[in-house]
């Protein structure tokens, strides 16, 4: 398990409410779209990051984390595990407080690098599952 309950709680309740969701597009059939909706219902600002830079849930999208002209608290990663490590490194460079790899997204080396850089990190979990559990 990558990210204990205390870390999950800290990311969801203490680190800030601006979440960049990498892989979020306007495709309502994709998991990222539904998860973004749940995060919004729980008061998070969800910023789409996708090569198409589409507006999703009323929020302007950006092609990359580096293109976002404001601070990001958490980077939620909806890309394949083989691409996720680079996104984690971009999150470190962006100055995010945490990185969250979605269910099925695992990169142990990225986890170690991200934690060594001082960021909180969770892998292979879903915030849309975890946030309602906080009560």
């Amino acid at each position: 398990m990558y990210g204990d309950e205390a870390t999950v709680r800290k990311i969801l309740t203490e680190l800030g409410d601006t979440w960049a969701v990498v892989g979020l597009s306007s495709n309502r059939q994709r998991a990222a779209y539904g998860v973004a909706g749940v995060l919004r219902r729980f008061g998070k600002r969800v910023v789409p990051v996708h090569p198409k830079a589409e507006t999703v849930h009323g929020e302007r999208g950006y092609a990359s984390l580096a293109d976002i002209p404001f601070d990001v608290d958490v980077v939620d990663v909806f890309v394949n595990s083989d691409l996720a490590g680079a996104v984690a490194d971009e999150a470190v460079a962006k100055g995010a407080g945490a990185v969250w790899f979605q269910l099925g997204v695992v990169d142990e080396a990225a986890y170690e690098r991200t934690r060594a850089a001082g960021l909180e990190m969770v892998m292979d979990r879903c915030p849309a599952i975890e946030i309602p559990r906080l009560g």
Side-chain angles (χ1 to χ4, degrees):
M1 184 68 70
Y2 298 95
D4 58 26
E5 296 305 316
T7 301
V8 168
R9 180 174 290 278
K10 182 176 184 180
I11 292 171
L12 290 171
T13 65
E14 298 175 26
L15 292 184
D17 290 332
T18 301
W19 285 54
V21 180
V22 179
L24 175 58
S25 72
S26 60
N27 183 344
R28 294 172 184 258
Q29 305 305 312
R30 304 287 300 188
Y33 190 91
V35 169
V38 172
L39 290 170
R40 287 174 39 84
R41 284 195 296 281
F42 280 87
K44 307 300 182 190
R45 178 183 184 189
V46 175
V47 181
V49 179
H50 190 280
K52 294 180 182 177
E54 298 173 304
T55 296
V56 183
H57 293 297
E59 186 76 40
R60 177 184 169 192
Y62 297 89
S64 72
L65 288 174
D67 291 342
I68 300 174
F70 47 83
D71 291 339
V72 169
D73 302 310
V74 181
V75 175
D76 188 6
V77 182
F78 273 95
V79 299
N80 293 330
S81 295
D82 58 340
L83 303 174
V87 176
D89 296 338
E90 292 171 21
V92 171
K94 179 71 179 163
V99 175
W100 190 300
F101 282 8
Q102 282 297 141
L103 289 171
V105 181
V106 175
D107 181 331
E108 293 179 12
Y111 181 86
E112 296 302 326
R113 287 194 311 273
T114 303
R115 295 293 293 131
L119 282 69
E120 299 293 338
M121 187 162 180
V122 171
M123 288 195 308
D124 196 25
R125 292 178 81 163
C126 180
I129 294 170
E130 303 297 337
I131 200 166
R133 294 180 183 173
L134 297 177

